[in-house]
Amino acid sequence: MTSKITSAIFRITMLLSQVLTVEGFSPSSSTLPYVRANNIPLHISTNDCVDTIGDAETDLLAEENHKSSKAPLHRSTNGDVDANGGADTNHPAEENPNYNLRHESIQERAGRLWDDDDELTTTLQCSGDTAVRKRVLVLCTGGTLTMSHDPSQGGSLAPVKGALTNYLQNMREFTEDPEMPEIVSHEYTPLIDSSDMGPGDWALVAEDIAENYYHFDGFVVLMGTDTMAYAASALSFMFQNLGKPVVFTGSQIPLREPYNDARKNLVMAVIFASSDTVSEVTIFFHDRLIRACRATKINTSKLLAFDSPNLEPLAEIGINIEERDHLYLPPPRGAFRVRTEMDTRLITLRLVPGFDDSCIIHMINAARDTNLKGLILQLYGTGNMPSLKDDLVHALSDATAAGVCVVVTTQCHTGSVIMGHYATGQALIKAGAVSAGDMTLEATTAKLAYLLGRQDLTIDEIRNLMGVDLRGELTPKEQMPPPPLASSYEKAIFKKNRCRIF
């Protein structure tokens, strides 16, 4: 009864807030308490217009435009800051009206799931007092975890509809342990391989989480491992002021096999999804919880399939769960919002020694004719390329002048891009390229597509934001270790900054 009354009060409050916003009333910055499913208060901002704290894009926009033009900030119709006072920002939709930033998905929306129970959605019947238990929503898109041998496809593995639901109902960890959260699971139709997933499918999952956000304490997304790091990175940028855990997981071995890694991954993902300390998008795999926008797949045949090259795991499991609390993102202080538009008109090039630069130049020029908006270069070491290939450098310079955001990443598994440290990197700086820092390729592509899809940013603002830590995806420059052959002074400054951080 208490939870029903609380839910009714919250719905009335949110409806009143929407009415006041429509009428032009600007609520104060005070917050209203919202009682989560486990009766723990969670504060959310009643002002959906501007993120007061925690939205680095908005902060940087306001700061840069205030410095340059002193122009007043205007609010756009979607509730975000228009730093140019409504002026033309040269965003993709204006250049090509036929380009659709909302990508389609072949899967069907889940919609509201907190009180539905149909053939695709199941609430596990648990022992114990359900009134005090947390609630976790499990969304299954497909992947190896749900697969079995399909005779119609020559015996190859394919996702099986209903398999996850059957296994969950027979897992004693979820049905008999009173300390485990209540599970509501939903299988998308159709179940698909992660290789078939793209921005439209990521947006679908993000929108379903948003629709059910205030009725669950955490979320688990089950999918294939091949593109999991891309999908999880994308959701980490789509969610602004996320205050609950979203945990991606899957398996290398199907759940139906006698020996598998799926069961442990699923159980631990649910445990972390019911955590009070995690308020970000993560991936749990094998024995570690890692930040989604720091993750990359490193192995196709071992159970430790994912790694976080430039950031320690947020938690590791053994006999005990060892959490690194200092690495968790702080709780948000603004209203939770979702932006799912992504501009995917970008390409990635990985250079190899002796490459034919004329082919690359022609490809860049041809891509510009089709409205290329982003070019990601995977270069050597700290972001170096042959400085003697003047034609390629000139092509990159022409691309940046035409409004293409050129981003430099490293081919190395660990470490960071340090543009300008070597003479060969100076040409890239002069050409207008920007550094990806120590971001993974997955995070770099997701972040660039997200920023390009916002439509309220100029190309210069996007270039600036690529170097700003928005979701914990990169290490700020002042926290980066000194470059090779650094002076004693630079090493001392790094040690001083490190002491301040920890």
Side-chain angles (χ1 to χ4, degrees):
M1 179 63 71
T2 302
S3 61
K4 291 182 178 180
I5 294 175
T6 302
S7 179
I9 293 174
F10 174 73
R11 286 197 293 270
I12 293 172
T13 302
M14 293 302 294
L15 180 61
L16 180 60
S17 175
Q18 293 174 4
V19 171
L20 293 175
T21 302
V22 170
E23 295 297 327
F25 178 80
S26 177
S28 65
S29 60
S30 61
T31 58
L32 294 177
Y34 167 67
V35 181
R36 297 168 67 176
N38 61 346
N39 295 327
I40 296 177
L42 170 68
H43 289 84
I44 60 171
S45 172
T46 59
N47 187 350
D48 287 336
C49 295
V50 180
D51 290 341
T52 53
I53 296 178
D55 191 341
E57 302 104 303
T58 301
D59 294 342
L60 186 64
L61 270 175
E63 180 181 350
E64 292 296 326
N65 284 277
H66 179 70
K67 290 179 180 178
S68 60
S69 65
K70 303 293 183 180
L73 293 177
H74 296 262
R75 304 196 195 285
S76 62
T77 55
N78 65 358
D80 289 311
V81 172
D82 179 2
N84 294 313
D88 181 11
T89 57
N90 295 321
H91 56 70
E94 293 178 348
E95 295 179 0
N96 184 5
N98 296 323
Y99 184 77
N100 186 8
L101 294 173
R102 297 189 61 83
H103 304 268
E104 299 296 328
S105 172
I106 65 171
Q107 295 182 316
E108 298 178 4
R109 279 286 307 273
R112 52 181 291 176
L113 299 174
W114 61 87
D115 58 358
D116 288 344
D117 203 2
D118 53 33
E119 62 177 4
L120 298 175
T121 307
T122 302
T123 301
L124 298 189
Q125 300 299 320
C126 316
S127 60
D129 186 1
T130 58
V132 298
R133 298 176 73 165
K134 294 186 178 182
R135 301 186 77 201
V136 171
L137 177 60
V138 178
L139 299 173
C140 179
T141 68
T144 301
L145 186 143
T146 65
M147 287 184 177
S148 185
H149 295 283
D150 188 350
S152 65
Q153 300 190 29
S156 58
L157 291 173
V160 177
K161 180 181 178 180
L164 175 67
T165 300
N166 294 333
Y167 284 120
L168 286 176
Q169 291 175 337
N170 293 303
M171 291 180 66
R172 297 175 61 184
E173 297 96 325
F174 299 140
T175 60
E176 297 183 11
D177 190 339
E179 296 185 0
M180 291 292 285
E182 179 185 6
I183 305 296
V184 177
S185 66
H186 176 82
E187 296 185 22
Y188 285 100
T189 301
L191 296 175
I192 58 177
D193 190 279
S194 69
S195 300
D196 293 320
M197 294 184 67
D201 306 289
W202 308 338
L204 179 140
V205 173
E207 290 167 354
D208 282 334
I209 290 177
E211 184 164 352
N212 294 277
Y213 183 78
Y214 294 108
H215 299 274
F216 292 90
D217 296 284
F219 304 87
V220 173
V221 180
L222 304 179
M223 65 173 293
T225 60
D226 287 346
T227 63
M228 183 185 294
Y230 289 95
S233 293
L235 261 68
S236 67
F237 292 108
M238 290 180 180
F239 293 143
Q240 296 181 17
N241 296 313
L242 179 65
K244 299 181 181 182
V246 176
V247 186
F248 279 73
T249 194
S251 68
Q252 297 283 68
I253 307 172
L255 189 57
R256 67 176 299 275
E257 297 294 334
Y259 170 74
N260 64 75
D261 61 329
R263 192 181 190 100
K264 180 180 72 173
N265 288 349
L266 179 56
V267 170
M268 292 307 304
V270 169
I271 290 176
F272 281 112
S274 61
S275 169
D276 290 325
T277 56
V278 180
S279 56
E280 57 182 292
V281 183
T282 60
I283 292 177
F284 179 84
F285 219 90
H286 186 50
D287 65 346
R288 60 197 59 189
L289 182 76
I290 55 183
R291 180 165 297 152
C293 51
R294 289 282 194 162
T296 186
K297 187 173 181 180
I298 59 170
N299 207 299
T300 61
S301 59
K302 293 184 178 181
L303 300 185
L304 181 57
F306 289 88
D307 190 21
S308 176
N310 292 307
L311 184 72
E312 289 183 295
L314 304 179
E316 293 183 88
I317 65 168
I319 297 177
N320 300 310
I321 298 178
E322 299 179 4
E323 296 184 273
R324 296 179 175 90
D325 296 340
H326 65 283
L327 295 180
Y328 287 138
L329 293 180
R333 295 180 61 184
F336 171 71
R337 296 187 299 174
V338 181
R339 304 186 66 116
T340 58
E341 296 82 4
M342 301 188 81
D343 192 334
T344 57
R345 290 176 293 182
L346 53 90
I347 58 176
T348 300
L349 294 177
R350 183 183 178 94
L351 266 60
V352 296
F355 62 89
D356 187 344
D357 54 329
S358 62
C359 294
I360 297 179
I361 292 171
H362 287 304
M363 183 167 60
I364 294 175
N365 292 333
R368 283 174 51 199
D369 294 337
T370 57
N371 248 346
L372 177 70
K373 303 307 297 180
L375 173 61
I376 299 173
L377 299 174
Q378 286 187 285
L379 303 183
Y380 317 128
T382 58
N384 304 309
M385 64 173 290
S387 59
L388 299 179
K389 292 181 177 289
D390 294 335
D391 291 341
L392 178 57
V393 174
H394 291 158
L396 295 176
S397 181
D398 292 341
T400 57
V404 179
C405 183
V406 179
V407 184
V408 176
T409 66
T410 176
Q411 297 179 6
C412 300
H413 183 62
T414 59
S416 172
V417 172
I418 310 176
M419 292 177 62
H421 181 67
Y422 293 102
T424 52
Q426 287 291 341
L428 289 170
I429 297 177
K430 294 178 181 179
V434 296
S435 169
D438 61 350
M439 283 192 290
T440 62
L441 177 63
E442 295 88 340
T444 304
T445 55
K447 182 177 183 179
L448 183 55
Y450 161 75
L451 293 176
L452 290 170
R454 281 186 60 110
Q455 301 186 68
D456 59 351
L457 302 171
T458 66
I459 189 63
D460 287 334
E461 290 165 344
I462 291 174
R463 289 167 180 154
N464 289 337
L465 286 171
M466 286 302 295
V468 176
D469 183 20
L470 304 180
R471 308 287 191 265
E473 74 279 4
L474 61 80
T475 305
K477 291 182 179 180
E478 61 272 13
Q479 299 177 20
M480 292 291 294
L485 305 177
S487 65
S488 299
Y489 172 77
E490 291 174 313
K491 294 178 181 179
I493 292 298
F494 169 71
K495 291 181 179 179
K496 181 180 180 181
N497 290 335
R498 189 177 181 86
C499 292
R500 287 181 177 179
I501 297 167
F502 300 106

